[in-house]
Amino acid sequence: MANILQMGLFIFTGLGVAFIFMPFADKYRKTVFGISAFAAVIGWSLFLLPAEGMPILILFIVMIGINNGAGQQANYQLWASEIFPTKYRASAQGLMFFLVRISIGAWSLFVPMIISNFGIAFMAAILLGCVTASMIIGLVFAPNTSGKSLEQIQEELYGTPPAQAERVQTRKIM
């Protein structure tokens, strides 16, 4: 049963990528992000309900699968590749992903202890807080990069690059 549930999660993640993220994320980034992030909020909220059993697990898999395919992870990786200036992009992304992976690894050490001492509902409440905070941060603070080229994004965030400004001034002088 655990393998079937894992396969279901994989399938809904793939469907989220194929039918939500790929066709709509570039044009409607924050909308796709918001809807998918809200799917994670719904998913983790399910474990706080008095109902339990297979229907709750299946609905959880659908909601979290959609989020995995089109939500926070996909959008934050895309934003990270867009918002850092080109000369710092690889280093900034490497540092960011390193910190995220280390944090997840450290957190994973405590998960079994939390579940065995406090139960799945307590764990779900913690994760609900995390995905809610992530949703709010993304909706409020992420830049609006929908449909823009990397050059447009960089110019909006950092101004005209020095090399380009120099070329513009040279043209004016001539």
Side-chain angles (χ1 to χ4, degrees):
M1 187 53 71
N3 288 337
I4 291 172
L5 291 172
Q6 192 68 25
M7 287 179 356
L9 182 63
F10 181 79
I11 289 167
F12 281 101
T13 298
L15 292 172
V17 170
F19 294 108
I20 299 171
F21 189 76
M22 289 176 69
F24 301 113
D26 196 42
K27 270 188 161 175
Y28 310 105
R29 177 116 0 106
K30 279 198 172 184
T31 303
V32 168
F33 171 83
I35 291 168
S36 299
F38 190 65
V41 169
I42 292 169
W44 287 110
S45 297
L46 293 171
F47 290 110
L48 302 177
L49 298 174
E52 57 183 50
M54 194 54 67
I56 296 294
L57 282 175
I58 291 171
L59 190 53
F60 172 79
I61 284 171
V62 171
M63 293 291 113
I64 295 300
I66 289 169
N67 174 264
N68 288 351
Q72 286 96 324
Q73 179 77 17
N75 282 287
Y76 285 143
Q77 285 183 320
L78 194 56
W79 276 317
S81 66
E82 293 175 340
I83 64 172
F84 292 115
T86 304
K87 76 185 219 182
Y88 303 117
R89 189 170 295 141
S91 297
Q93 282 184 301
L95 178 65
M96 196 170 66
F97 295 147
F98 166 77
L99 293 172
V100 168
R101 298 297 186 252
I102 292 295
S103 300
I104 289 171
W107 165 251
S108 296
L109 295 173
F110 297 100
V111 169
M113 182 178 61
I114 293 170
I115 291 176
S116 63
N117 289 325
F118 301 105
I120 190 74
F122 185 78
M123 175 60 78
I126 292 171
L127 293 172
L128 175 60
C130 291
V131 295
T132 301
S134 175
M135 179 179 72
I136 292 168
I137 289 167
L139 289 173
V140 173
F141 294 109
N144 183 11
T145 58
S146 296
K148 296 177 185 173
S149 70
L150 286 175
E151 291 79 16
Q152 290 172 309
I153 295 166
Q154 189 165 341
E155 189 172 327
E156 284 179 15
L157 294 174
Y158 304 105
T160 305
Q164 186 177 353
E166 199 173 286
R167 281 193 303 252
V168 170
Q169 280 189 315
T170 305
R171 285 186 200 142
K172 286 180 183 176
I173 294 171
M174 295 180 173

